[in-house]
């Protein structure tokens, strides 16, 4: 009989936190400066609850439909759960996702910024006090397809969103996905590219926060921490393999 390893979410979380801690020390960074997000896509609510009971508060989902099916009940029962959207977002789903998340990490085109502003304005006129953080996703790796391809377009989107702070929009920072490859140098180069971009954009907009760097996943989060990540998005290493059936 094959020996099936039982996934222990609590142990996985602890192990990853140790690795993050070690990488922070290696890179001479302040201990505790990197946040760990648990990416729960394709995993059931029970897995989220197990992680929550092990102390995990920050979660990420990459599809609106799945997030809306799973999280309203969870956040009602556990109000200190925080959810970010990390996957590509269609304009017609913006209105639906905003109430459920504190951050949209996958802002990848200016039309999306316009729709987010429109919906936040509407909420404000309805008397809803919503704070919504945005991360601008930048394309840094050959194989991935998401994110702004042009730095100028990203700058324009930051400027647009930055002018909408009156309706609760906060320009928090940047996100990227490294290429899926075993080539560690290519992965590191991708993270470095995001950090360098962030420095240029911050110089342009010194009055915006823009200090979050969301980079690093199960296979590469240690490299990401060494390259300045402030938030790693880890799915498989916490919850096990996803079942895409
Ligand atoms: C799925 C996903 C992750 C997590 O990936 P793992 O390799 O399972 O850790 C991180 N970021 C984004 C945008 C994702 O879609």
């Amino acid at each position: 009989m094959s020996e099936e390893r039982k996934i222990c979410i609590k142990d996985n979380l602890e192990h990853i936190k140790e690795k993050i801690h070690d990488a922070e020390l290696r890179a001479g960074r302040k201990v505790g400066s990197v946040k760990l997000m648990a990416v729960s896509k394709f995993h059931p609510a029970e897995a989220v609850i197990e992680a929550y009971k092990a102390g995990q508060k920050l979660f990420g989902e990459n599809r609106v439909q799945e997030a809306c099916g799973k999280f309203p009940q969870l956040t009602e029962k556990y109000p200190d759960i925080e959810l970010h959207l990390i996957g590509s977002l269609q304009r017609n789903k913006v209105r639906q996702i905003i109430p459920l998340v504190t951050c949209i990490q996958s802002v990848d085109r200016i039309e999306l910024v316009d729709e987010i502003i429109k919906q936040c304005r509407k909420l404000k006129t309805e008397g809803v006090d919503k704070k919504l953080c945005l991360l601008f996703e930048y394309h840094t790796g050959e194989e991935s397809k998401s994110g702004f391809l042009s730095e100028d377009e990203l700058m324009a989107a930051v400027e647009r969103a930055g002018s909408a702070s009156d309706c609760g929009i906060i320009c928090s920072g940047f996100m990227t996905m490294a290429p899926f490859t075993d080539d560690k140098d290519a992965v590191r180069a991708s993270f470095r590219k995001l950090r360098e971009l962030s420095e240029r954009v911050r110089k342009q907009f010194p009055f915006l926060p823009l200090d979050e760097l969301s980079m690093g996943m199960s296979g590469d989060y240690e490299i990401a921490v060494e390259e300045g990540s402030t938030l790693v998005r880890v799915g498989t290493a916490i919850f096990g393999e996803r079942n895409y059936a």
Side-chain angles (χ1 to χ4, degrees):
M1 216 167 79
S2 72
E3 203 171 296
E4 201 172 305
R5 199 173 57 86
K6 172 99 175 67
I7 304 273
C8 180
I9 290 172
K10 186 167 184 274
D11 290 352
N12 291 346
L13 283 167
E14 255 155 45
H15 175 76
I16 294 161
K17 282 185 208 157
E18 268 170 39
K19 292 277 185 194
I20 291 173
H21 175 93
D22 292 348
E24 285 169 338
L25 290 177
R26 255 196 325 276
R29 298 187 52 192
K30 196 169 143 237
V31 165
S33 51
V34 180
K35 294 184 277 288
L36 170 61
M37 160 185 285
V39 177
S40 49
K41 65 184 183 199
F42 288 93
H43 293 284
E46 292 74 54
V48 174
I49 293 169
E50 197 178 327
Y52 177 81
K53 291 195 167 153
Q56 182 66 28
K57 304 279 163 65
L58 176 61
F59 293 87
E61 284 283 338
N62 78 334
R63 295 190 317 176
V64 171
Q65 202 183 346
E66 186 178 351
C68 291
K70 206 161 33 178
F71 272 85
Q73 297 88 329
L74 287 166
T75 49
E76 191 175 332
K77 188 154 181 208
Y78 309 106
D80 57 344
I81 281 185
E82 197 184 327
L83 180 67
H84 292 186
L85 185 77
I86 59 172
S88 67
L89 175 58
Q90 290 170 271
R91 253 179 4 171
N92 62 2
K93 302 260 172 75
V94 168
R95 194 168 65 97
Q96 199 184 354
I97 197 67
I98 286 179
L100 200 55
V101 297
T102 56
C103 180
I104 297 171
Q105 292 207 357
S106 39
V107 176
D108 59 359
R109 56 202 193 282
I110 199 148
E111 298 77 34
L112 187 58
V113 172
D114 288 336
E115 181 64 22
I116 291 169
I117 294 174
K118 185 177 147 196
Q119 296 301 337
C120 285
R121 286 246 147 83
K122 211 155 135 207
L123 285 175
K124 197 186 171 194
T125 61
E126 291 163 2
V128 181
D129 183 26
K130 174 76 189 181
K131 293 271 178 289
L132 183 66
C133 295
L134 301 184
L135 301 187
F136 299 88
E137 183 177 0
Y138 191 51
H139 179 99
T140 60
E142 284 313 312
E143 282 134 276
S144 95
K145 30 187 203 318
S146 51
F148 280 97
L149 291 167
S150 143
E151 183 165 332
D152 288 344
E153 280 175 29
L154 184 145
M155 289 269 190
V158 173
E159 184 167 25
R160 187 80 55 93
S163 69
S165 57
D166 62 297
C167 59
I169 291 174
I170 302 159
C171 294
S172 299
F174 308 90
M175 187 267 249
T176 200
M177 303 242 284
F180 292 102
T181 168
D182 291 333
D183 180 353
K184 289 208 160 66
D185 292 336
V187 170
R188 194 177 288 280
S190 163
F191 294 147
R192 201 164 282 175
K193 219 162 149 182
L194 188 70
R195 194 188 59 212
E196 288 166 359
L197 167 99
S198 79
E199 284 160 9
R200 290 192 293 275
V201 181
R202 288 168 69 169
K203 218 169 268 168
Q204 283 289 322
F205 304 99
F207 46 91
L208 297 175
L210 293 175
D211 49 9
E212 197 86 276
L213 277 185
S214 171
M215 52 190 203
M217 306 180 12
S218 290
D220 55 26
Y221 67 87
E222 291 172 86
I223 300 173
V225 171
E226 289 169 8
E227 293 302 326
S229 172
T230 62
L231 190 161
V232 296
R233 310 178 307 269
V234 180
T236 311
I238 296 172
F239 297 109
E241 294 294 334
R242 288 180 284 274
N243 184 358
Y244 290 105

